[in-house]
Each structure stands twice: as C-alpha cells, then as structure tokens.
Amino acid sequence: MIDSDVFDFVERCRKHTATGPLLSDLLDTVKNLGFEHLILSGVPLGGQKLAPMVELNGWPKGWFERYVEAEHAAVDGVCIYSAKTLKPFLWSEVPAKWSDTQASRRVAGEATEFGIWSGFAVPMLSVHHWQSVLSFASSQKRCNLSPRQQVQLVTMAVYAGMAIQALSNDDEDGEGPLTDREKEVLLWAAAGKTSSETSQILGLTERTVKWHATRAREAFGVATTTQAVVEAVRRRLIHP
C-alpha cells in the first residue's frame, strides 16, 4: 500500500453518511495489507456486553455470533489488553499474562476455524465508550507489517473512528440513548440518592424509579446503575 491510498481513504471517510459504506470502504482498502476482516467496538468492562458496543462489524458472521454468545470478550487476551493500552499492537504482542491463559488460547484456536489467525489492534479514546478498539484480522498465520504499514493502519483506524463518532452524534441530535426521565434518575443516583429518595424528589413511585434505572442500564449494556451513571457522564448526557 502506498501513502496516497491512505489519504484517499481519509478523504472518502469524511464523506460517508452511513456505517455500511464506511465499513466496505475500509475493508476494501486494508485488504492490500492482507486483512480480510475487522471490527470496531467499545471495549467491554465490568460486565458490559460486547454486542451493543459494536460500531463496525466486519467479522465473519458465525465467529461474531459465537464470540458474543460465549462471552469471549471477558477472556480474550486481545480484548483485555485493548482496555489497558492506547498503543497499537500486533495480536502476537499481547503480554503472556493475558494471551497465554487457557481461555485466551481457546478463543484464538476457535478463531482459526473462521480463517482468523493473526491481527493488528488500534485502541482509541472514545466519546461513547470507556475505550474503543479497531481490530484488523488476517488469514495469514503471522502479520508481517513494516513500521510504515502500521502507521498507515493507525491513520485509517483513527479517521474511521472519528467518522463513526460523527455519525453517532448526528443520530443523537434526534432521539438519544436515554429519555429525560432516565437522565433525571441517573443524575440523582450520581448525587447519592436511593431509589426511595429519588421517588420522593421526582414524585414517582419507587418501582417506576427502578424501572427507569433498569432501562438506562440496558441502554448502555451495563450491569449496575453506578456503571450507567459513569457512562452517562462520559457521554456528557448528564452533568453531576
């Protein structure tokens, strides 16, 4: 791949108005570096589910379904390391403490059934998640990327991530992930109020307050109301 291919992608990236064409464009461009698949998603933390966090899904369908159903993100060394660094890395560079566990090796072995043997990951800061990662996958048993080629991949990943965030922000100009009432409930939770106290403040039943908290947790794919508060603050949906 030559640098002009990267710049051409960056220019096209700014013009995409939907995720489908952006995904197809990126896949078509990175195949010149030996990558057939990719995925861009938030990195799950603290019991978060992966599926709602996926923003570009270019994984083989069967593999994505198995990965999600088996909750591989919790044990996959590549996913775990993506939450701990902002440095781009080859999958083979994941430290052994995360990549050499029995569970992580099992995930890697299952991936080969779908033609995925090696890859390159680009962790990124995200407006919508604690951290995101764009992971490129190859059927080659080992990625042979020069430092320049790694820079090319990072450049395209960053611009793709920016484009996705811009598209998401456009979507949120309409109906966002939380209703006004759900924001109120999280705001009072952030202030340390119990469901009972919040119900008195808002003039609602405690059952209704808990229902709104549950809906907020589901919107973010998290397990606790505290996690939902953190996510809402990160996304600037509430301001405690």
Side-chain angles (χ1 to χ4, degrees), residues 70-190:
E71 297 186 348
H72 280 335
V75 297
D76 178 11
V78 173
C79 188
I80 294 171
Y81 191 48
S82 294
K84 300 180 181 296
T85 183
L86 280 173
K87 180 182 178 181
F89 60 90
L90 294 166
W91 292 359
S92 59
E93 295 174 335
V94 175
K97 63 185 293 185
W98 296 300
S99 65
D100 203 29
T101 65
Q102 182 177 359
S104 184
R105 291 197 303 271
R106 184 180 69 250
V107 173
E110 290 182 17
T112 64
E113 299 174 25
F114 297 87
I116 294 177
W117 287 83
S118 61
F120 183 72
V122 185
M124 296 178 283
L125 294 176
S126 170
V127 171
H128 302 114
H129 309 291
W130 174 255
Q131 190 154 301
S132 292
V133 62
L134 203 164
S135 204
F136 301 95
S138 173
S139 60
Q140 299 174 8
K141 292 193 175 182
R142 186 174 182 83
C143 287
N144 294 308
L145 295 173
S146 69
R148 191 175 194 86
Q149 289 172 325
Q150 292 189 24
V151 170
Q152 290 174 334
L153 281 171
V154 170
T155 301
M156 289 186 288
V158 169
Y159 273 91
M162 290 168 58
I164 287 293
Q165 290 194 12
L167 290 172
S168 298
N169 289 340
D170 289 344
D171 291 343
E172 288 174 5
D173 288 340
E175 185 178 352
L178 299 178
T179 65
D180 289 341
R181 186 63 83 184
E182 288 161 2
K183 292 177 185 177
E184 284 183 310
V185 167
L186 292 186
L187 188 58
W188 286 112

Side-chain angles (χ1 to χ4, degrees), residues 227-238:
Q227 291 172 327
V229 168
V230 171
E231 190 65 18
V233 172
R234 263 191 11 85
R235 299 195 191 190
R236 301 175 178 84
L237 297 174
I238 62 173

